[in-house]
Amino acid sequence: MAPITNGRLIFKEAPGPDEYPIPGKTTAYDESKTIDLENVALNGGFLVKVLVLSIDPFLRGRMSVPKGLEKLYPPALKPGEPLQNSGIGIVLRSEHTSVKQGDHVYGRISFEQYLIFPNLNGIEVLKNEANIPISNYLGVAGSPGLTAYAAWKEFIKPKGNEVVYVSTGAGPVGSTVAQLAKRDGLKVIASAGSDEKVKFMQEIGVDVPFNYKTTDIKEILAKEGGIDIYWDNVGGETLDAAIDASHPNARILACGMISGYNSPDSLAIKNIFQIIPKSITIHGFNVPALAPKYIAEFRKEVPGLIAHGELKVLEHITKGLDKAGHALLDVLTGKNIGKSILIVAEA
Amino acid sequence: MAPITNGRLIFKEAPGPDEYPIPGKTTAYDESKTIDLENVALNGGFLVKVLVLSIDPFLRGRMSVPKGLEKLYPPALKPGEPLQNSGIGIVLRSEHTSVKQGDHVYGRISFEQYLIFPNLNGIEVLKNEANIPISNYLGVAGSPGLTAYAAWKEFIKPKGNEVVYVSTGAGPVGSTVAQLAKRDGLKVIASAGSDEKVKFMQEIGVDVPFNYKTTDIKEILAKEGGIDIYWDNVGGETLDAAIDASHPNARILACGMISGYNSPDSLAIKNIFQIIPKSITIHGFNVPALAPKYIAEFRKEVPGLIAHGELKVLEHITKGLDKAGHALLDVLTGKNIGKSILIVAEA
């Protein structure tokens, strides 16, 4: 068989500090490479056809590292390199003893249609025993779900009559948090940026879902009598509003601050003083540090909950690797509803 | 015996939002009341001659409650009321079965020379078994020391090779934290606002004492290789600098934010985002909520450590109830060195 095009989404140049990544300018779809699927040498490794890729806000941070955080972030991508993120592929050919043709593999995957892996470093065979759609393993059954699960178990010791507020409650992390909180019997307030997202939050059982673009956060938190737990995916003014509405002994989980991916200055907060009289604890956390402690129970429990409809999943599908730059822009500007999934190929 | 003057320090009017309390304007020494020490009716209570009063920054908050925190603070003083704070007196006469003449009593005391207590609500007999100066019970052996002790035990699980930074390291809370940290084997960096305070921090064993008015906080924290624990008594830019210098898994204790007692806007922080990639936890706490858990072991351990010279105490003495307003202004403008004590009478 003749070589075929092996399309890639490459990084071209960093957006300015206040700019979003623009498809065609920041990234470009490149078709200059080819691959001969039948004859390419594997050298003991295996050949993977990429099926799905996760599109996440942190990809913005791979394009230019926030100032002052150089030591904490991996170095930014170099122009010409493909983007990289969690993804799932199917094995076309294998010379590796632990991997066979037809296996799904999950791990850190370059934004390319076909990839050769020399070994299982950074990638693992995905056993989908719960028989859920594989894309779920990039969302509620994957890193975002594990983020919610691990931090909820580690930091929140919920009492039955408490109230939790979740920002970005329609996203994969926020919606998992909201559903875990409901399973623990809490009252859940959650916000998102569109009426469609509000509808989804209603469907997963959120008691007080609201659209923060049309409803004042401060007013609604006050009207609901304040909060005991805040799951922060936003930062800035929303974090200030949550601190202001917090009861004594509130716990705040700082999971992401999407409001500052493009303009770090908007992450300044004014109400931090209140944590003293209110005895509030704020936990910043990152998943790689916390995940190992919870991954076994997460994998045992969560895919089954999804299969039985006890954890609901919403995905925002974009088709085609050439549209990955658009999908990222949608995530960063809040246009997607649910976990953003890029379909590179249909099995 | 004829009635004698019973001097009081009364609150006159609230300072403006950006103003310090001015003696004579915000407060005034009043000599209009008299008391007949031999004949005044006790009605089953006891008569106390006030000896020492604690002068603390939070007295500023009693004069006008920070905006938005009305529910968390006691209501502000009314004009004409005397100030009130922790203090110690000696019993002149008693009709109470649990209190006898010559006892020292400790508790919440009005800024008056003589007081009649109907019962032991809010006040208790002070048994100074360690035989230390009674004023110490307003500092390292009292609330400030308990603040340091309880939060250190509750939140900090120090590992031997960690580095702690303590702001206001010459004050009663900060100097106790610094000494507890040294007892736990940590490296201690501590700052204060004068060379005399730096000298005291050296005397209590601080490894890297510095004057924040002449030394750049960011530079010194970077030079020392960063920190694992930060005890915050200041807030604002200092808190930002500490977050910036924090290692992964750092713990921050938010104990007070003196930089904002007079101008809450200066408490805004910009670096809160860093707590996520660094997995930092920030604990806000107030002593009344935490104290009951630790007060027994504190009282058993700390006065003895002071008596044996293992915890060092520095006091800034002001004499005369008529000087209480000046003493408070000194505390708020950082002029005092060590715990500010007002001597109302010498036994």
Side-chain angles (χ1 to χ4, degrees), chain A residues 325-336:
Chain A
H326 303 81
L328 176 58
L329 187 57
D330 283 353
V331 164
L332 291 169
T333 54
K335 293 220 178 80
N336 61 310

Side-chain angles (χ1 to χ4, degrees), chain B residues 65 94 122 214 216 260 264 274 311 316:
Chain B
V65 177
S94 176
T214 55
D216 187 82
Q274 294 191 25
L311 271 182
H316 179 88

Side-chain angles (χ1 to χ4, degrees), chain A residues 69 72-73 239 248 254-257 267-270 272-286 289, chain B residues 69 72-73 239 248 254-257 267-270 272-286 289:
Chain A
L69 296 185
L72 294 162
Y73 276 62
L239 177 53
C255 172
M257 297 194 181
L267 288 178
I269 64 167
K270 292 175 182 166
I272 184 81
F273 174 80
Q274 294 191 26
I275 72 171
I276 299 173
K278 290 180 175 178
S279 294
I280 294 173
T281 295
I282 307 179
H283 297 282
F285 72 96
N286 64 64
Chain B
L69 296 185
L72 294 163
Y73 275 65
L239 177 52
C255 172
M257 297 194 181
L267 288 178
I269 64 167
K270 293 176 182 166
I272 185 81
F273 174 81
Q274 294 191 25
I275 72 171
I276 299 174
K278 290 180 175 177
S279 292
I280 294 173
T281 295
I282 307 180
H283 297 281
F285 73 96
N286 63 63

Side-chain angles (χ1 to χ4, degrees), chain A residues 48-323:
Chain A
V48 170
K49 180 182 184 185
V50 177
L51 300 177
V52 288
L53 288 166
S54 181
I55 306 294
D56 298 298
F58 87 87
L59 287 167
R60 174 66 182 81
R62 301 284 292 113
M63 296 170 173
S64 60
V65 177
K67 210 169 153 260
L69 296 185
E70 291 79 3
K71 282 184 194 161
L72 294 162
Y73 276 62
L77 289 166
K78 289 192 185 70
E81 285 186 316
L83 272 63
Q84 204 181 58
N85 200 2
S86 301
I88 296 166
I90 189 164
V91 176
L92 299 183
R93 288 167 50 214
S94 176
E95 294 173 356
H96 193 287
T97 50
S98 306
V99 181
K100 60 179 196 300
Q101 189 187 336
D103 277 352
H104 286 111
V105 289
Y106 167 88
R108 187 149 287 274
I109 285 185
S110 283
F111 278 41
E112 304 186 42
Q113 289 180 293
Y114 301 95
L115 290 162
I116 294 161
F117 290 85
N119 52 47
L120 285 168
N121 288 346
I123 194 129
E124 61 184 309
V125 174
L126 175 70
K127 292 194 183 75
N128 181 8
E129 286 161 356
N131 198 26
I132 55 178
I134 58 158
S135 57
N136 292 179
Y137 288 97
L138 300 180
V140 177
S143 287
L146 178 58
T147 299
Y149 187 92
W152 188 261
K153 300 256 166 179
E154 175 80 6
F155 299 116
I156 307 293
K157 279 130 188 100
K159 295 161 201 97
N161 57 351
E162 288 190 315
V163 178
V164 57
Y165 168 46
V166 183
S167 59
T168 66
V173 177
S175 67
T176 306
V177 171
Q179 293 179 84
L180 292 174
K182 285 312 297 175
R183 291 177 68 82
D184 281 341
L186 275 63
K187 172 176 162 181
V188 178
I189 305 169
S191 58
S194 79
D195 291 345
E196 273 179 286
K197 292 178 184 178
V198 169
K199 191 164 161 269
F200 173 63
M201 294 192 293
Q202 246 156 2
E203 286 166 16
I204 62 172
V206 169
D207 301 283
V208 185
F210 71 96
N211 180 342
Y212 71 86
K213 290 183 178 168
T214 56
T215 308
D216 187 84
I217 297 178
K218 280 188 180 183
E219 273 175 31
I220 204 156
L221 296 183
K223 188 184 149 206
E224 297 299 326
I227 60 175
D228 303 291
I229 298 161
Y230 171 50
W231 185 285
D232 185 32
N233 283 313
V234 179
E237 288 180 9
T238 308
L239 177 53
D240 264 338
I243 292 174
D244 201 48
S246 282
H247 297 150
N249 302 311
R251 288 87 78 202
I252 295 177
L253 272 280
C255 172
M257 297 194 181
I258 196 173
S259 64
Y261 274 106
N262 265 71
S263 50
D265 286 352
S266 67
L267 288 178
I269 64 167
K270 292 175 182 166
N271 287 340
I272 184 81
F273 174 80
Q274 294 191 26
I275 72 171
I276 299 173
K278 290 180 175 178
S279 294
I280 294 173
T281 295
I282 307 179
H283 297 282
F285 72 96
N286 64 64
V287 190
L290 197 58
K293 188 171 167 186
Y294 292 98
I295 196 157
E297 61 173 293
F298 172 79
R299 288 185 169 177
K300 200 173 157 188
E301 186 180 1
V302 166
L305 291 176
I306 295 171
H308 294 99
E310 292 181 50
L311 271 180
K312 291 190 173 60
V313 167
L314 186 66
E315 292 178 345
H316 179 88
I317 304 290
T318 306
K319 289 190 181 176
L321 188 53
D322 57 323
K323 296 292 185 302

Side-chain angles (χ1 to χ4, degrees), chain B residues 77-117:
Chain B
L77 290 165
K78 291 190 185 72
E81 285 186 316
L83 273 63
Q84 204 181 56
N85 201 2
S86 300
I88 295 165
I90 189 163
V91 176
L92 298 183
R93 288 165 51 211
S94 176
E95 293 174 356
H96 193 287
T97 49
S98 305
V99 180
K100 61 181 196 301
Q101 190 189 333
D103 278 352
H104 285 109
V105 288
Y106 165 88
R108 188 148 287 275
I109 285 185
S110 282
F111 280 41
E112 303 185 43
Q113 289 181 292
Y114 301 95
L115 290 161
I116 294 162
F117 289 86

